[in-house]
Amino acid sequence: MKITMRFWTALVLSLPMLAEMVLHPFTGWMLPGGEWTILILTTLVMLISAGPFISSAWASFKKHHANMDTLVALGTLTAYIYSIYAMFKHLPVFFESAAFVITFVLLGQVLEAKMRSNASDAIGKLANLQAKDALVKRAGKFVSVPIAEVVAGDLIQVKPGQKVPVDGVVVSGISSVDESMVTGESMPAGKKPGDQVVGATINQNGTFEFKAQKVGRDTMLAQIVAIVKKAQNSHAPIQNLTDRVADIFVPTVLIIAIATFLVWFLLLGKSAGTALVFAVSVLVIACPCALGLATPTALMVGTGLGAKKGILIKNGEVLEAANNLNTIVFDKTGTITAGHPQVTDVVGDKHVLAVAASLEKLSEHPLASAVLQAAKKSQVHLRAVSNFRAIEGQGVTGTIDGKEAFAGSPASRAAGTISDELTKQIATFEQEAKTVVVVGLAGKIIGLVAIQDVPKKNSSKAIAQLKAAGLKTVMLTGDNAQVAHAIAQQVGIDEVIAGVLPTGKAAAIQKLQQTDKVAFVGDGINDAPALTQADVGIAMGSGTDVAIDAGGIVLVKNDLMDVVRALRLSRKTFNRIKLNLFWAFIYNVLGIPIAAGLFAGIGLVLSPELAGLAMAFSSLSVVISSVLLGKAKI
Amino acid sequence: MTKIIIFLIGIVLIGFIAWWFFGQHQVQAEQAVVNDDQQNVDIEVKGGYSPERVVLKKGVPATLKFKRTDASTCLDHVIFSDLGIDQKLPQGQVKEVKIDTTKPGVYDWACSMNMFHGQVIVK
Ligand SMILES: [Cu+2]
């Protein structure tokens, strides 16, 4: 029988007894049939509602195990059997205690099961985000096919308001896509040919076509679901204690209950009935389920909440480690900075950028794209270039409007004459760790373009908040010290470790770990060894390139503020676990002595019914406390 | 006189509980039988797990078939935290849990309240 049915049965059968209990002191009303009616009602409760507790307790007893069913079964059976004996001996009976305890325990379990399914809902919601079908080009026409039939390489059309079915790259059309369900980013992302789209995101205005790249279990959503699932079932080291407690807990309680009976009956000379009430109360109140639920429910809610915001915490161990950090190390390029150089300053008139861009358009230099982008942004006209030539290690030259033009290193002699003012300017830029491109025309330098990999817009805000949270911030980079220090100063980083080869990053982390607990934040692609070495590896992704394997925490969005949020979430979840454990422990530590009658001298006693109610609500309160974590702001 | 008898009964009961639950008792273990490159183990879920320890052969695809006959809500899920598996066990139905046997090791499983435990050993 289902647990809800067992509960309702117990409740309905207990109600007449409850009515008598409430009404009798005022009106003297009693159930027709007296004790016999109560015996029958309670027997039905024991058979129908308590039966499964008893059979489960017996089955585990045979395996040398004991669980909460053992306590409930023994407690209620003791009350029931003693009452039958007492009835024939014309002693006071307490059948209703057994019936009420069963009702309350079942009530607790019904509510708890409901809350638990609420808590684990996040994952179900995530998995349901996926589109059910897709408009796929088959035989020259777009037809709707079930998502399971989409294969990599398919051309898929997405209309406004539709969900993007799988991961891929846009081939035609322009639109904006709401990606909040996967990345947690509330701003819609613009999409044009060449951009990545992610399955389960919602297309907003335009129609576009894209080529499917990842389908089924390979899509980002599927991988996120897999990570969250794993995280929700993981262990936190703090749990090890409760694991051990749970093993010895129930048998210990049984022993305490017997001792309680012996003390009351033999030492204090009370009646067998009174002594039994105390023993039964001890059995009933001491359910260790609150302890068992404290960690898993909080983990479930915490990791689910993170997933909604694009923060994937891989397991409970990481969560616990994230709470003991005192140093956070950042990779520079792509993590603190945008990872691609941008033009920061242009000295001279608008010819400067036009000449530079016209030449660089033909070049393959990595800085060329920065110049072109700047030219496009300020809408300068590109000129025709003839006799284009790249001078190895110096720059590029060509003829524009019949004049010799040059763009390249300030050290190059091909640049031409330079004014004192520009020479001074070059020195300033170089001090700021900017790369300078000089632009020459007809043998004379007409201006400068300064280029730098600039910090992302949230970098300094995030670093300031991490410092405020008491963390030491360190930048780790392969760049030279001057460039590194310039960026560090801009974003407010405490310490710089520069000139580290990619292979040396893990060693640098290891060195820091001699004194500190270290987190490493990197983009995950070439930082895997450092991410693994650190106490907490935080891998940042961008779009579909989430480095899922590297790092204990994976950030879907490439935004440093998510590092702050991830640490905040870890802290909140871990604190909730500690709070849950505290209440679960305190409850048993205080509950058992009260139930045993230790405070009977001051009038503080627990009847078995109240003990049953308290027991039901101890685990329920732990689950509710975890569910409330889901409402936390991060 | 009755008081002495009751006292003795109480002491014996306490002793019995301590011996029964805390003493060293043999755990029921089972070595999976390999058939057609596939190994299956039936596990009964009733007041715990029988068998409680399953030994699997490395590299052979393995399935544990859990059947819950116990009404206890404690046992309504089986969780392999190292493997990221959380399998609901509806009463009376057989639920299959596939175990990755590519790596040797010891993987624990537990009920959703972490009160009952079992173990898979891959070697
Ligand atoms: Cu329990």
Side-chain angles (χ1 to χ4, degrees):
Chain A
M1 194 189 296
K2 280 186 75 174
I3 186 153
T4 39
M5 262 325 282
R6 283 165 59 198
F7 162 66
W8 286 114
T9 312
L11 182 69
V12 168
L13 292 169
S14 305
L15 278 178
M17 292 185 268
L18 185 70
E20 185 194 275
M21 210 170 82
V22 173
L23 296 175
H24 183 72
F26 306 108
T27 63
W29 178 78
M30 280 168 70
L31 280 173
E35 283 179 348
W36 283 98
T37 308
I38 294 178
L39 170 67
I40 290 165
L41 288 172
T42 307
T43 305
L44 287 173
V45 173
M46 292 303 287
L47 283 176
I48 299 168
S49 301
F53 287 138
I54 297 164
S55 73
S56 174
W58 178 242
S60 60
F61 174 78
K62 286 191 293 188
K63 294 199 177 75
H64 302 276
H65 287 313
N67 64 337
M68 65 162 178
D69 289 352
T70 311
L71 295 174
V72 174
L74 264 183
T76 53
L77 270 180
T78 309
Y80 175 71
I81 292 169
Y82 169 78
S83 295
I84 293 177
Y85 162 83
M87 198 173 133
F88 288 104
K89 288 270 180 182
H90 301 289
L91 294 167
V93 299
F94 54 102
F95 283 116
E96 66 282 358
S97 295
F100 292 165
V101 165
I102 296 292
T103 309
F104 290 142
V105 170
L106 285 171
L107 169 68
Q109 292 194 354
V110 167
L111 293 176
E112 182 198 304
K114 211 171 207 142
M115 298 304 276
R116 256 163 67 198
S117 70
N118 269 355
S120 60
D121 219 19
I123 186 78
K125 274 186 195 147
L126 271 178
N128 278 336
L129 285 176
Q130 206 181 32
K132 304 282 173 282
D133 34 41
L135 285 172
V136 181
K137 195 165 199 171
R138 291 281 155 86
K141 265 202 306 200
F142 284 104
V143 289
S144 181
V145 302
I147 189 100
E149 288 172 24
V150 177
V151 292
D154 272 342
L155 198 63
I156 299 170
Q157 190 181 52
V158 188
K159 290 181 174 161
Q162 280 184 338
K163 269 185 188 168
V164 177
V166 294
D167 298 358
V169 60
V170 177
V171 289
S172 68
I174 287 174
S175 184
S176 64
V177 173
D178 176 4
E179 294 186 330
S180 59
M181 54 295 291
V182 179
T183 62
E185 171 65 63
S186 53
M187 286 290 285
K191 297 293 175 189
K192 55 179 196 306
D195 285 344
Q196 293 283 339
V197 286
V198 182
T201 57
I202 298 170
N203 179 27
Q204 295 197 304
N205 35 39
T207 296
F208 64 88
E209 274 125 52
F210 76 99
K211 202 169 121 196
Q213 287 175 323
K214 288 176 182 165
V215 299
R217 278 168 50 182
D218 298 329
T219 63
M220 189 151 113
L221 183 72
Q223 294 191 52
I224 289 175
V225 168
I227 287 186
V228 177
K229 230 182 197 164
K230 212 163 177 168
Q232 291 190 325
N233 300 319
S234 68
H235 244 62
I238 194 172
Q239 219 174 332
N240 292 342
L241 178 67
T242 58
D243 286 3
R244 256 173 272 138
V245 171
D247 279 343
I248 58 161
F249 192 85
V250 177
T252 308
V253 169
L254 296 183
I255 291 171
I256 294 175
I258 295 171
T260 303
F261 175 81
L262 292 180
V263 168
W264 280 103
F265 184 59
L266 300 177
L267 227 56
L268 303 173
K270 296 282 177 196
S271 71
T274 312
L276 264 184
V277 168
F278 285 118
V280 168
S281 297
V282 169
L283 288 178
V284 170
I285 201 168
C287 178
C289 6
L291 275 181
L293 287 168
T295 315
T297 51
L299 255 183
M300 192 167 266
V301 175
T303 51
L305 177 64
K308 265 194 268 176
K309 313 259 177 189
I311 296 165
L312 310 177
I313 296 174
K314 285 232 187 112
N315 54 48
E317 230 162 293
V318 169
L319 197 114
E320 197 165 328
N323 269 274
N324 301 318
L325 295 175
N326 42 31
T327 299
I328 184 158
V329 181
F330 297 88
D331 172 43
K332 179 179 97 35
T333 312
T335 304
I336 292 178
T337 65
H340 39 88
Q342 285 171 35
V343 170
T344 54
D345 310 81
V346 178
V347 179
D349 60 19
K350 67 177 185 165
H351 287 305
V352 172
L353 203 52
V355 170
S358 305
L359 286 171
E360 295 288 10
K361 193 174 189 283
L362 303 168
S363 150
E364 279 153 9
H365 198 270
L367 295 178
S369 67
V371 174
L372 281 174
Q373 218 169 28
K376 205 168 153 194
K377 215 162 141 195
S378 39
Q379 292 177 318
V380 297
H381 243 10
L382 296 195
R383 323 267 180 83
V385 177
S386 54
N387 302 327
F388 176 79
R389 204 156 56 88
I391 311 166
E392 184 69 45
Q394 296 190 34
V396 288
T397 142
T399 312
I400 295 174
D401 300 336
K403 285 177 218 159
E404 184 81 354
F406 174 85
S409 159
S412 170
R413 264 164 290 142
T417 57
I418 184 165
S419 68
D420 285 350
E421 202 182 325
L422 284 181
T423 312
K424 243 192 261 165
Q425 190 68 61
I426 290 173
T428 317
F429 283 150
E430 281 180 343
Q431 220 147 47
E432 291 168 1
K434 289 171 180 167
T435 308
V436 184
V437 173
V438 299
V439 182
L441 197 65
K444 191 174 160 246
I445 290 179
I446 59 164
L448 311 171
V449 179
I451 296 169
Q452 196 178 37
D453 185 10
V454 294
K456 288 189 285 197
K457 77 175 196 304
N458 271 339
S459 293
S460 30
K461 185 175 159 201
I463 284 161
Q465 292 197 16
L466 289 169
K467 280 163 80 173
L471 289 166
K472 186 171 94 180
T473 54
V474 179
M475 182 160 86
L476 190 59
T477 176
D479 276 354
N480 66 55
Q482 200 183 20
V483 174
H485 278 285
I487 298 285
Q489 206 163 26
Q490 282 181 49
V491 296
I493 277 216
D494 295 322
E495 198 184 310
V496 173
I497 305 173
V500 183
L501 293 172
T503 47
K505 285 186 178 173
I509 301 279
Q510 204 169 16
K511 213 168 144 203
L512 286 168
Q513 278 175 318
Q514 284 167 2
T515 49
D516 292 337
K517 288 268 177 232
V518 180
F520 177 74
V521 188
D523 57 15
I525 294 151
N526 47 28
D527 291 333
L531 285 168
T532 319
Q533 174 64 40
D535 296 292
V536 177
I538 304 178
M540 298 186 75
S542 55
T544 47
D545 306 325
V546 181
I548 291 213
D549 287 330
I553 296 179
V554 177
L555 305 177
V556 177
K557 235 182 327 164
N558 198 347
D559 178 354
L560 270 196
M561 274 311 285
D562 276 354
V563 174
V564 180
R565 288 190 197 105
L567 295 184
R568 205 180 289 153
L569 174 69
S570 311
R571 206 158 285 190
K572 281 203 167 150
T573 310
F574 191 65
N575 284 341
R576 187 57 55 118
I577 291 175
K578 282 198 283 192
L579 184 76
N580 285 352
L581 287 175
F582 171 78
W583 281 114
F585 265 117
I586 268 291
Y587 165 84
N588 278 310
V589 164
L590 292 180
I592 293 177
I594 294 176
L598 218 62
F599 304 110
I602 55 166
L604 189 59
V605 288
L606 267 175
S607 64
E609 296 93 316
L610 277 181
L613 197 62
M615 186 268 216
F617 281 93
S618 70
S619 40
L620 189 63
S621 63
V622 161
V623 177
I624 289 175
S625 151
S626 293
V627 169
L628 285 180
L629 173 66
K631 307 268 178 281
K633 271 218 149 58
I634 56 160
Chain B
M1 187 59 197
T2 35
K3 288 205 166 187
I4 293 172
I5 292 173
I6 287 179
F7 179 72
L8 287 177
I9 291 175
I11 295 301
V12 167
L13 265 178
I14 290 176
F16 171 75
I17 290 168
W19 167 76
W20 185 259
F21 292 109
F22 298 146
Q24 288 297 316
H25 301 281
Q26 189 89 38
V27 173
Q28 198 189 343
E30 195 171 311
Q31 168 84 49
V33 187
V34 179
N35 271 332
D36 303 329
D37 246 10
Q38 170 76 38
Q39 44 188 345
N40 297 321
V41 179
D42 292 318
I43 295 170
E44 193 197 18
V45 184
K46 188 170 198 308
Y49 304 96
S50 340
E52 253 173 52
R53 192 172 288 156
V54 175
V55 182
L56 298 175
K57 222 175 143 172
K58 189 187 152 228
V60 182
T63 308
L64 303 186
K65 295 180 174 168
F66 284 88
K67 185 175 180 190
R68 175 162 77 102
T69 51
D70 191 320
S72 171
T73 49
C74 238
L75 290 158
D76 61 3
H77 284 245
V78 61
I79 292 166
F80 291 76
S81 55
D82 305 327
L83 305 173
I85 296 168
D86 179 354
Q87 176 65 55
K88 210 172 178 174
L89 301 176
Q91 206 179 333
Q93 290 176 31
V94 174
K95 285 283 166 189
E96 298 190 348
V97 173
K98 294 217 183 313
I99 304 291
D100 178 13
T101 54
T102 49
K103 270 183 281 176
V106 177
Y107 307 101
D108 292 331
W109 80 73
C111 71
S112 50
M113 282 177 181
N114 213 353
M115 283 175 170
F116 294 104
H117 300 98
Q119 214 169 44
V120 176
I121 299 167
V122 179
K123 62 181 177 191

mmCIF file of all heavy atoms in Angstrom, chain A residues 67-69 109 112 287-290 292-293 615 619, chain B residues 72-74 111 113 115-116, ligand 1:
data_model
loop_
_atom_site.group_PDB
_atom_site.id
_atom_site.type_symbol
_atom_site.label_atom_id
_atom_site.label_comp_id
_atom_site.label_asym_id
_atom_site.label_seq_id
_atom_site.Cartn_x
_atom_site.Cartn_y
_atom_site.Cartn_z
ATOM 1 N N ASN A 67 17.168 0.410 11.726
ATOM 2 C CA ASN A 67 16.924 1.726 11.131
ATOM 3 C C ASN A 67 15.768 2.380 11.846
ATOM 4 O O ASN A 67 15.306 1.905 12.877
ATOM 5 C CB ASN A 67 16.660 1.591 9.629
ATOM 6 C CG ASN A 67 15.398 0.816 9.352
ATOM 7 O OD1 ASN A 67 14.948 0.047 10.181
ATOM 8 N ND2 ASN A 67 14.829 1.027 8.199
ATOM 9 N N MET A 68 15.291 3.477 11.269
ATOM 10 C CA MET A 68 14.230 4.184 11.983
ATOM 11 C C MET A 68 12.973 3.324 12.071
ATOM 12 O O MET A 68 12.205 3.451 13.020
ATOM 13 C CB MET A 68 13.928 5.492 11.299
ATOM 14 C CG MET A 68 13.362 5.324 9.930
ATOM 15 S SD MET A 68 12.592 6.852 9.456
ATOM 16 C CE MET A 68 12.076 6.441 7.834
ATOM 17 N N ASP A 69 12.764 2.445 11.118
ATOM 18 C CA ASP A 69 11.603 1.564 11.189
ATOM 19 C C ASP A 69 11.696 0.668 12.423
ATOM 20 O O ASP A 69 10.689 0.316 13.027
ATOM 21 C CB ASP A 69 11.511 0.700 9.922
ATOM 22 C CG ASP A 69 11.118 1.537 8.719
ATOM 23 O OD1 ASP A 69 10.772 2.720 8.920
ATOM 24 O OD2 ASP A 69 11.164 1.030 7.590
ATOM 25 N N GLN A 109 6.466 11.480 7.074
ATOM 26 C CA GLN A 109 7.050 10.864 5.885
ATOM 27 C C GLN A 109 6.374 11.322 4.598
ATOM 28 O O GLN A 109 7.032 11.487 3.574
ATOM 29 C CB GLN A 109 6.994 9.341 6.007
ATOM 30 C CG GLN A 109 7.926 8.833 7.092
ATOM 31 C CD GLN A 109 8.140 7.345 7.023
ATOM 32 O OE1 GLN A 109 7.512 6.645 6.240
ATOM 33 N NE2 GLN A 109 9.021 6.837 7.860
ATOM 34 N N GLU A 112 7.547 14.848 3.983
ATOM 35 C CA GLU A 112 8.966 14.821 3.662
ATOM 36 C C GLU A 112 9.197 14.342 2.223
ATOM 37 O O GLU A 112 10.010 14.896 1.489
ATOM 38 C CB GLU A 112 9.646 13.896 4.661
ATOM 39 C CG GLU A 112 11.126 13.772 4.513
ATOM 40 C CD GLU A 112 11.586 12.524 5.230
ATOM 41 O OE1 GLU A 112 11.303 12.389 6.433
ATOM 42 O OE2 GLU A 112 12.188 11.680 4.567
ATOM 43 N N CYS A 287 14.708 9.264 16.048
ATOM 44 C CA CYS A 287 14.951 8.824 14.671
ATOM 45 C C CYS A 287 16.140 9.562 14.094
ATOM 46 O O CYS A 287 16.216 10.785 14.142
ATOM 47 C CB CYS A 287 13.745 9.099 13.798
ATOM 48 S SG CYS A 287 14.069 8.615 12.109
ATOM 49 N N PRO A 288 17.088 8.829 13.553
ATOM 50 C CA PRO A 288 18.262 9.492 12.993
ATOM 51 C C PRO A 288 18.038 9.985 11.573
ATOM 52 O O PRO A 288 18.971 10.432 10.920
ATOM 53 C CB PRO A 288 19.312 8.384 13.017
ATOM 54 C CG PRO A 288 18.531 7.132 12.846
ATOM 55 C CD PRO A 288 17.182 7.374 13.474
ATOM 56 N N CYS A 289 16.815 9.948 11.056
ATOM 57 C CA CYS A 289 16.645 10.321 9.638
ATOM 58 C C CYS A 289 16.979 11.778 9.390
ATOM 59 O O CYS A 289 17.473 12.132 8.330
ATOM 60 C CB CYS A 289 15.269 10.036 9.087
ATOM 61 S SG CYS A 289 14.107 9.477 10.247
ATOM 62 N N ALA A 290 16.750 12.645 10.388
ATOM 63 C CA ALA A 290 17.079 14.049 10.185
ATOM 64 C C ALA A 290 18.568 14.191 9.885
ATOM 65 O O ALA A 290 18.973 14.950 9.003
ATOM 66 C CB ALA A 290 16.704 14.862 11.421
ATOM 67 N N GLY A 292 20.451 11.894 8.520
ATOM 68 C CA GLY A 292 20.712 11.329 7.204
ATOM 69 C C GLY A 292 20.289 12.255 6.075
ATOM 70 O O GLY A 292 20.867 12.241 4.994
ATOM 71 N N LEU A 293 19.272 13.072 6.344
ATOM 72 C CA LEU A 293 18.746 13.937 5.279
ATOM 73 C C LEU A 293 19.466 15.276 5.205
ATOM 74 O O LEU A 293 19.422 15.955 4.178
ATOM 75 C CB LEU A 293 17.259 14.203 5.535
ATOM 76 C CG LEU A 293 16.318 13.040 5.275
ATOM 77 C CD1 LEU A 293 14.940 13.345 5.841
ATOM 78 C CD2 LEU A 293 16.221 12.757 3.795
ATOM 79 N N MET A 615 9.409 13.771 16.317
ATOM 80 C CA MET A 615 10.238 12.989 15.412
ATOM 81 C C MET A 615 9.867 13.267 13.965
ATOM 82 O O MET A 615 10.725 13.483 13.110
ATOM 83 C CB MET A 615 10.029 11.510 15.751
ATOM 84 C CG MET A 615 10.896 10.588 15.008
ATOM 85 S SD MET A 615 10.101 10.020 13.516
ATOM 86 C CE MET A 615 10.702 8.383 13.464
ATOM 87 N N SER A 619 12.776 15.623 10.871
ATOM 88 C CA SER A 619 13.274 15.427 9.509
ATOM 89 C C SER A 619 12.576 16.376 8.542
ATOM 90 O O SER A 619 13.187 16.883 7.605
ATOM 91 C CB SER A 619 13.126 13.977 9.058
ATOM 92 O OG SER A 619 11.915 13.439 9.480
ATOM 93 N N SER B 72 9.446 0.358 3.343
ATOM 94 C CA SER B 72 10.106 1.482 4.015
ATOM 95 C C SER B 72 10.521 2.569 3.035
ATOM 96 O O SER B 72 11.133 2.301 2.014
ATOM 97 C CB SER B 72 11.346 0.973 4.751
ATOM 98 O OG SER B 72 12.094 2.057 5.233
ATOM 99 N N THR B 73 10.183 3.833 3.364
ATOM 100 C CA THR B 73 10.566 4.940 2.490
ATOM 101 C C THR B 73 12.077 5.158 2.512
ATOM 102 O O THR B 73 12.626 5.790 1.639
ATOM 103 C CB THR B 73 9.901 6.252 2.928
ATOM 104 O OG1 THR B 73 10.111 6.405 4.330
ATOM 105 C CG2 THR B 73 8.423 6.243 2.636
ATOM 106 N N CYS B 74 12.709 4.637 3.559
ATOM 107 C CA CYS B 74 14.159 4.743 3.647
ATOM 108 C C CYS B 74 14.821 4.134 2.410
ATOM 109 O O CYS B 74 15.867 4.574 1.975
ATOM 110 C CB CYS B 74 14.631 3.964 4.864
ATOM 111 S SG CYS B 74 15.531 4.941 6.032
ATOM 112 N N CYS B 111 21.043 3.810 0.742
ATOM 113 C CA CYS B 111 19.666 4.217 0.561
ATOM 114 C C CYS B 111 19.616 5.737 0.647
ATOM 115 O O CYS B 111 20.614 6.375 0.962
ATOM 116 C CB CYS B 111 18.778 3.598 1.634
ATOM 117 S SG CYS B 111 19.025 4.304 3.262
ATOM 118 N N MET B 113 18.517 7.746 2.693
ATOM 119 C CA MET B 113 18.796 8.368 3.987
ATOM 120 C C MET B 113 20.146 7.945 4.511
ATOM 121 O O MET B 113 20.509 8.264 5.649
ATOM 122 C CB MET B 113 17.737 7.976 4.997
ATOM 123 C CG MET B 113 16.469 8.724 4.827
ATOM 124 S SD MET B 113 15.308 8.124 5.989
ATOM 125 C CE MET B 113 13.913 9.124 5.563
ATOM 126 N N MET B 115 21.267 5.079 5.415
ATOM 127 C CA MET B 115 21.247 4.204 6.586
ATOM 128 C C MET B 115 21.656 2.785 6.221
ATOM 129 O O MET B 115 22.255 2.080 7.005
ATOM 130 C CB MET B 115 19.841 4.144 7.168
ATOM 131 C CG MET B 115 19.483 5.351 7.960
ATOM 132 S SD MET B 115 17.798 5.195 8.424
ATOM 133 C CE MET B 115 17.648 6.518 9.555
ATOM 134 N N PHE B 116 21.290 2.380 5.022
ATOM 135 C CA PHE B 116 21.673 1.048 4.565
ATOM 136 C C PHE B 116 22.734 1.190 3.500
ATOM 137 O O PHE B 116 22.668 2.078 2.658
ATOM 138 C CB PHE B 116 20.460 0.317 3.986
ATOM 139 C CG PHE B 116 19.423 0.024 5.007
ATOM 140 C CD1 PHE B 116 18.264 0.771 5.077
ATOM 141 C CD2 PHE B 116 19.617 -1.003 5.917
ATOM 142 C CE1 PHE B 116 17.308 0.506 6.031
ATOM 143 C CE2 PHE B 116 18.659 -1.278 6.883
ATOM 144 C CZ PHE B 116 17.505 -0.526 6.933
HETATM 145 CU CU CU C 1 14.970 7.028 8.355
#
